[in-house]
Amino acid sequence: MKYYQTVTLKNGKTCIIRHAEAADAAEVRRSFLQTHAETDNLLTYPDESKMTVESEADFLQKTADSENAIELCAILDGKLVGTAGIEPVGTHEKLRHRAEFGISIEKAYWGQGIGRALTAACISIAGEAGYAQLELQVVADNAAAVALYKSMGFTEYGRNPLGFRSRTTGWQSLLLMRLEL
């Protein structure tokens, strides 16, 4: 899928939200490793990633060519500072109406409105792709993310008290959230 939008952030700066392409692979990989090292609220640790720049480029090309998946990047002052994306939950008929949402933003850029812009873009794209429901999982203690998702219409439909097992803090409860499109 393709996407391009310019948004004005809280500080008045302009941020470009666009689909990532194969040529962005090295920067997407760099940002992925950085964001996953900066917070304990994401699915993996940097040392668990098996993605290479080449495999990242293949993934980004597939999403750019896809009709129902996308990987977006946020570009601020010429630098890729975050990513977000949607993917189908499954390909079986009973699952085709559902998409999963994920997002990560470099810590230095938190609180500027980038997360809201990426989330809004993914919601719009999911609707255009024909999904009826957008889903996510978020660490329950991640108050800023939970507040953002609730403000954008996501509602909690369940909790997994043993959702993540953090290397540093032990068990992390996950909220399961969904948005009807």
Side-chain angles (χ1 to χ4, degrees):
M1 296 182 77
K2 307 285 192 239
Y3 187 87
Y4 188 96
Q5 181 184 23
T6 302
V7 297
T8 302
L9 302 177
K10 293 177 183 179
N11 60 10
K13 287 191 172 190
T14 299
C15 181
I16 297 169
I17 307 294
R18 65 168 174 81
H19 64 277
E21 299 176 332
D24 299 311
E27 272 299 289
V28 168
R29 174 113 175 96
R30 179 205 56 77
S31 185
F32 175 92
L33 294 173
Q34 181 174 334
T35 57
H36 286 65
E38 292 176 329
T39 182
D40 204 25
N41 292 327
L42 298 173
L43 175 64
T44 61
Y45 294 102
D47 63 318
E48 295 178 303
S49 176
K50 306 297 182 221
M51 204 67 115
T52 64
V53 172
E54 293 77 20
S55 59
E56 185 73 49
D58 289 342
F59 169 76
L60 295 175
Q61 189 60 54
K62 285 178 184 166
T63 60
D65 294 340
S66 174
E67 293 181 11
N68 64 352
I70 194 165
E71 189 71 15
L72 297 174
C73 57
I75 310 292
L76 185 60
D77 296 328
K79 180 184 178 192
L80 190 147
V81 299
T83 60
I86 61 167
E87 323 188 306
V89 168
T91 57
H92 298 292
E93 184 176 351
K94 289 183 177 184
L95 297 174
R96 285 188 212 141
H97 67 287
R98 297 170 53 200
E100 188 171 30
F101 167 71
I103 186 170
S104 63
I105 299 164
E106 294 174 19
K107 194 170 189 175
Y109 300 93
W110 290 0
Q112 296 182 25
I114 296 168
R116 181 170 296 280
L118 284 168
T119 303
C122 284
I123 291 169
S124 174
I125 292 163
E128 290 173 18
Y131 290 110
Q133 181 169 287
L134 189 56
E135 305 172 14
L136 62 88
Q137 297 181 46
V138 60
V139 173
D141 291 339
N142 187 349
V146 172
L148 170 65
Y149 302 141
K150 284 182 178 180
S151 76
M152 303 209 62
F154 284 88
T155 57
E156 179 182 336
Y157 69 92
R159 285 181 182 247
N160 183 344
L162 304 179
F164 284 172
R165 189 171 181 178
S166 167
R167 291 176 180 170
T168 57
T169 62
W171 294 113
Q172 292 175 300
S173 180
L174 292 179
L175 298 183
L176 301 121
M177 300 183 83
R178 62 186 280 279
L179 174 69
E180 282 189 41
L181 302 170

